Amino acid sequence: MTAGERRDHGRFDVVLEQFERHLRLERDLSPHTVRAYRGDVTALITHLTTAGQTDLSGLDITALRDWLGDQHQAGRSRATLARRTACARVFTAFCHRRGWLANDPGLLLGTAKAERRLPKVLDQTEAGAVLDAPAPDEPKDLRDRAMLELLYATGMRVSELCGLDVDDVDRDRNTVRVMGKGRRERTVPFGLPALRALDAWCVRGRPLWVREGSGPALFLGVRGGRVDQGTVRRVVHARLAQVEGAPDMGPHGLRHTAATHLLEGGADLRSVQELLGHASLATTQIYTHVSIERLRAAYRQAHPRA
């Protein structure tokens, strides 16, 4: 690539378009991650243009640190700063490989670690109250119960739930095929309550909502299309609001709850990792801390010399 071509291809608009394509097609990241990374790079480009830069020639370690420093001063959370640092590394490495940067300044960035807060979880009594609440035998109620049961039974992500097709459920083996992050497929077992709820939805609910364009989607919206994540979140929040004392949480809270209850019931960490689809065991280990904290709380409440 000639110097003139580098200058042309180093234009911000071209770079941003090519980077997004790289994330989608080469790294195969989820649409949510692609949007987040595109937003981060857009913020970085805005920082460079405010400083008078018109291309990538001014992107060095000083510019990166200035940008992240501005983010810190603006009150961004540690999680946001950690993600933007990771994104900056991916972006500068990509630009260096393309020949748009003579060297990779992202290699000089320190590691920003996100603060790890213990997630909110339901105790087993609260979980039972959420799942066993009486409901009419209408399609919406049958669908909502089936979604809640499956979220808690498998610990799957809301995006994974929405992406399920009818054929992903194996009723003979009580398992569901889940397509996770990075298109990694896994098979997750579930229990009889989830099976009964799924059967009720598929026999008495789903046929009433199926339309010509419904396709193989397991869970449908009222208009017959595949259910969306916003609908699932509203269902979870609404059901939790009906249980006195239950913390307000979304579908990810049910994922946390499922993992915590599995560990409390004696499941080993590696098995929980496989069930949840975590790429790293370190991600799963936070649930051991949740279980320990709950044990400490029970001890403090029950032991006379706690």
Side-chain angles (χ1 to χ4, degrees):
M1 184 183 291
T2 67
E5 287 173 329
R6 287 194 186 97
R7 284 194 297 271
D8 181 60
H9 284 76
R11 294 199 331 263
F12 291 143
D13 55 342
V14 175
V15 169
L16 188 59
E17 178 183 344
Q18 292 298 316
F19 182 59
E20 181 177 356
R21 180 181 176 85
H22 164 70
L23 296 176
R24 285 189 293 105
L25 302 182
E26 297 177 32
R27 293 179 64 97
D28 197 24
L29 297 181
S30 70
H32 175 78
T33 302
V34 171
R35 285 194 300 272
Y37 272 30
R38 181 185 173 94
D40 292 342
V41 172
T42 300
L44 173 58
I45 289 173
T46 300
H47 175 81
L48 293 174
T49 55
T50 301
Q53 300 292 331
T54 58
D55 56 33
L56 288 176
S57 61
L59 182 55
D60 55 17
I61 186 60
T62 300
L64 288 175
R65 286 171 176 163
D66 286 346
W67 173 58
L68 292 170
D70 287 349
Q71 300 293 307
H72 178 71
Q73 291 294 326
R76 304 299 183 196
S77 69
R78 288 174 63 179
T80 298
L81 291 173
R83 190 197 70 222
R84 292 195 166 180
T85 301
C87 175
R89 287 202 190 94
V90 173
F91 178 63
T92 58
F94 166 77
C95 293
H96 178 53
R97 288 195 303 271
R98 291 296 181 94
W100 299 335
L101 290 174
N103 49 57
D104 182 0
L107 294 174
L108 302 176
L109 278 178
T111 300
K113 293 185 178 179
E115 181 181 5
R116 302 204 72 179
R117 297 180 180 177
L118 296 181
K120 294 179 180 179
V121 296
L122 302 172
D123 61 33
Q124 295 187 26
T125 300
E126 291 167 340
V130 169
L131 297 171
D132 295 335
D137 199 40
E138 298 295 329
K140 180 181 181 303
D141 302 291
L142 295 173
R143 181 204 64 182
D144 292 354
R145 179 180 293 279
M147 293 194 305
L148 288 164
E149 285 281 5
L150 203 56
L151 284 170
Y152 175 67
T154 64
M156 69 174 63
R157 302 175 179 92
V158 62
S159 59
E160 296 168 347
L161 180 87
C162 293
L164 291 176
D165 291 337
V166 172
D167 290 342
D168 289 329
V169 178
D170 186 334
R171 287 173 172 78
D172 294 327
R173 298 182 179 180
N174 280 25
T175 60
V176 59
R177 184 172 62 243
V178 179
M179 187 64 69
K181 289 185 175 181
R183 299 190 183 278
R184 291 189 295 269
E185 184 179 300
R186 67 187 190 276
T187 299
V188 185
F190 56 82
L192 288 177
L195 178 63
R196 288 193 290 266
L198 281 169
D199 283 344
W201 157 244
C202 289
V203 173
R204 304 199 303 275
R206 188 179 183 276
L208 299 178
W209 281 7
V210 168
R211 301 292 184 269
E212 184 176 346
S214 296
L218 175 60
F219 293 113
L220 304 175
V222 293
R223 297 180 180 177
R226 185 180 295 273
V227 73
D228 61 80
Q229 296 184 31
T231 297
V232 180
R233 291 191 178 93
R234 287 192 292 273
V235 168
V236 174
H237 283 294
R239 183 60 64 90
L240 286 170
Q242 298 173 4
V243 178
E244 185 177 355
D248 184 32
M249 59 176 66
H252 214 68
L254 292 182
R255 176 173 167 85
H256 293 320
T257 298
T260 303
H261 291 177
L262 281 167
L263 288 171
E264 290 177 345
D268 65 273
L269 200 60
R270 183 70 67 179
S271 297
V272 175
Q273 176 194 3
E274 293 181 8
L275 288 170
L276 296 182
H278 286 157
S280 169
L281 189 63
T283 307
T284 317
Q285 285 176 330
I286 190 173
Y287 298 112
T288 63
H289 301 311
V290 175
S291 297
I292 291 170
E293 285 301 315
R294 289 161 68 90
L295 182 61
R296 285 175 178 164
Y299 178 84
R300 287 193 295 267
Q301 181 178 357
H303 199 286
R305 298 180 73 86

